[in-house]
Amino acid sequence: MREKLKGIGVLAVASVAIMIAGAPAANAETCAAVQGAGSSLQNIAQKEVWMPGFASAVTLCAANPLVTYNSTSSGRGKAQWGYEGGGLKLKESGETSFPAFIGTDLAPDAGQITNMGAAGEQPTHSEGVLTVPVAQSAISVIVSLPTDCRPKSPSKEAEIEPTLLKEEWEKDLLTILQYVKNVECTGSDSAAILLEARSSNSGTTAGFKRYLDLVAAGAAPWNELTETPLKAEEPNWPSEAEKTHLDKCCTKGSEVASTVLNTPNSSGYADLADARHEGFTTKWVDHLNAAKELYLSAIALVKSNTEFESPEETSGGSNCKNATYNEETRVVKPGADWSTAQQTNIKTNKAYPICTLTFDLAWNKYDTPALVSQYGTLAVTEETRNTVRNYLEWVTSGGQSATLKSDHYGELPAGIKTKDKEAFTTLGLYIK
């Protein structure tokens, strides 16, 4: 079916899709229900945007199969595919089947791709995994004030200078008045801020730490903490911060956001979708926690060049449309290394400085003995492959929608969308 579609061209395929909207194509493939796992940043996009959209979209599947997603973390998802070596890992709690695709906010590097290729018994280990960019997201800095502190004016948003953000996460010695602009306190402001961080390997952690490394211009200790993709996503922070008030509270971004929202005098980081879902906005929110403490919380604006930029567009999407990434020479094909792709224009006005790409991983070849033993039988494995291929093609095309942005993500940059589209025109060669 794939080869036939290549011959009739993109316009012809589009015309056919319009005529038969709501129905599968003739001679469509048989597809199986599949489960993805990994990135908690992708959780809302997967469950509220892509899965419902795919279920109602025209696909090459004879019947639109059920796609589910287990939100764990980027590191835990990749670990199931053996990215650190040691072979495939077992299904995690809550999974009905072994993950057929992995969500991650930090793409695997060449060595990790080779490890996964070996675990999945791919014919060529170094080209055994396909990395597909699927969206952008703003990593938001979230803050809850002490109970005796308030903004100087209700209209004044929380603002944080990059150098102070770096200093606080490096040494953890600032007070809330030093850390956040436009705030005043009626009592003492001498208490150190409680920092909330992820407790397991996380792509969001990697994006945040890599940003702080850029602010530090590659100086110690940030250069050491981010020198490899694996080190960047590990829950390790500068020793001065580790010794003071840094609390590795949570495995997911949503849990970090919930913890900061419910803890006065605290700060953390989370993707914009999780922060908004837990109740944060860029306007101060006055609320009571379970302990009946009254205080304010907000998403902070971060200075880019001369201006403080919000992580959120007025439409609700991640404010990443002007973000640029060092991806010019990369392509979307098996074995391609996207691990060092990161935002480059952190000091440009009108560009929020902490944006990240997020990716989905697919096997190059699904019908290897190792994978057949995980997915069931050869027939089921082939149907699993068909679903993944069609699902990721839809995510990178129809899934780049207004709904994605209204759920606080950002669509892919035009150049990366083109790379995805070019990959999927020959995807029969990539996912077998």
Side-chain angles (χ1 to χ4, degrees):
M1 183 62 188
R2 287 278 165 177
E3 297 302 320
K4 291 178 182 177
L5 284 177
K6 289 179 201 172
I8 64 176
V10 173
L11 291 178
V13 171
S15 299
V16 171
I18 292 170
M19 289 188 291
I20 61 172
N27 302 317
E29 299 168 322
T30 302
C31 299
V34 303
Q35 184 153 45
S39 163
S40 67
L41 179 153
Q42 288 186 24
N43 186 49
I44 295 173
Q46 292 282 358
K47 295 178 179 177
E48 298 186 15
V49 183
W50 294 331
M51 290 172 186
F54 179 68
S56 61
V58 174
T59 74
L60 294 179
C61 291
N64 288 341
L66 177 67
V67 180
T68 56
Y69 188 75
N70 188 31
S71 168
T72 54
S73 72
S74 297
R76 286 170 64 184
K78 288 182 292 186
Q80 288 185 270
W81 279 20
Y83 84 127
E84 294 179 283
L88 301 175
K89 303 297 187 293
L90 298 175
K91 290 186 297 184
E92 291 219 9
S93 174
E95 292 177 357
T96 57
S97 61
F98 187 70
F101 66 92
I102 298 295
T104 178
D105 315 316
L106 180 61
D109 63 20
Q112 294 166 348
I113 290 172
T114 298
N115 288 340
M116 288 188 281
E121 297 181 352
Q122 301 292 295
T124 304
H125 294 173
S126 63
E127 297 180 357
V129 172
L130 176 69
T131 301
V132 181
V134 292
Q136 293 185 89
S137 178
I139 300 175
S140 60
V141 180
I142 46 181
V143 177
S144 284
L145 297 180
T147 55
D148 66 340
C149 298
R150 302 192 67 83
K152 292 180 179 178
S153 165
S155 62
K156 288 287 188 181
E157 296 165 312
E159 296 176 343
I160 298 180
E161 294 273 359
T163 52
L164 294 178
L165 187 64
K166 175 189 74 70
E167 181 180 343
E168 174 60 7
W169 283 86
E170 183 174 322
K171 300 178 181 178
D172 194 16
L173 295 176
L174 299 180
T175 66
I176 202 72
L177 288 180
Q178 294 169 324
Y179 186 56
V180 183
K181 293 173 67 72
N182 306 323
V183 170
E184 59 187 3
C185 302
T186 57
S188 171
D189 72 319
S190 60
I193 302 164
L194 178 63
L195 298 180
E196 303 288 0
R198 299 279 287 272
S199 60
S200 59
N201 286 22
S202 157
T204 309
T205 296
F208 188 54
K209 285 165 61 177
R210 282 174 158 183
Y211 167 71
L212 297 177
D213 179 54
L214 289 175
V215 174
W222 298 103
N223 58 344
E224 299 165 0
L225 294 168
T226 59
E227 63 182 349
T228 67
L230 185 58
K231 284 188 175 183
E233 70 178 352
E234 288 175 342
N236 294 327
W237 297 89
S239 58
E240 289 182 73
E242 294 264 22
K243 292 175 183 176
T244 51
H245 303 88
L246 192 146
D247 178 28
K248 297 171 187 175
C249 68
C250 316
T251 61
K252 302 178 182 180
S254 59
E255 294 170 353
V256 172
S258 178
T259 300
V260 173
L261 189 72
N262 287 286
T263 308
N265 198 28
S266 67
S267 183
Y269 58 94
D271 64 277
L272 180 64
D274 277 334
R276 293 285 279 116
H277 189 266
E278 294 300 322
F280 281 95
T281 74
T282 55
K283 305 298 182 184
W284 291 103
V285 175
D286 205 342
H287 61 106
L288 284 168
N289 63 8
K292 306 299 183 184
E293 296 170 302
L294 179 65
Y295 55 96
L296 291 104
S297 303
I299 297 172
L301 280 58
V302 179
K303 200 169 189 179
S304 185
N305 181 20
T306 60
E307 300 177 10
F308 287 93
E309 301 291 344
S310 169
E312 184 174 15
E313 294 180 334
T314 54
S315 62
S318 283
N319 186 18
C320 297
K321 63 184 179 183
N322 293 325
T324 58
Y325 299 89
N326 54 342
E327 91 299 328
E328 292 83 358
T329 61
R330 294 180 174 86
V331 293
V332 179
K333 68 176 185 179
D337 182 350
W338 284 75
S339 65
T340 57
Q342 66 181 99
Q343 185 181 0
T344 55
N345 61 336
I346 68 164
K347 295 183 179 180
T348 303
N349 287 341
K350 303 303 178 186
Y352 180 68
I354 324 177
C355 290
T356 185
L357 293 170
T358 188
F359 307 86
D360 282 350
L361 309 180
W363 296 110
N364 179 205
K365 186 174 176 63
Y366 275 75
D367 60 355
T368 66
L371 298 183
V372 171
S373 69
Q374 292 289 342
Y375 299 123
T377 65
L378 179 59
V380 172
T381 300
E382 291 175 343
E383 293 167 4
T384 295
R385 168 205 63 200
N386 295 343
T387 304
V388 172
R389 187 171 60 196
N390 285 291
Y391 182 63
L392 294 186
E393 184 169 6
W394 186 86
V395 164
T396 56
S397 54
Q400 303 295 303
S401 62
T403 305
L404 182 69
K405 290 187 282 188
S406 66
D407 275 296
H408 311 297
Y409 297 90
E411 63 180 300
L412 289 167
I416 297 180
K417 271 197 219 178
T418 298
K419 293 173 188 284
D420 278 343
K421 184 175 180 180
E422 290 171 348
F424 280 94
T425 59
T426 54
L427 197 55
L429 302 177
Y430 289 174
I431 301 180
K432 303 174 184 177

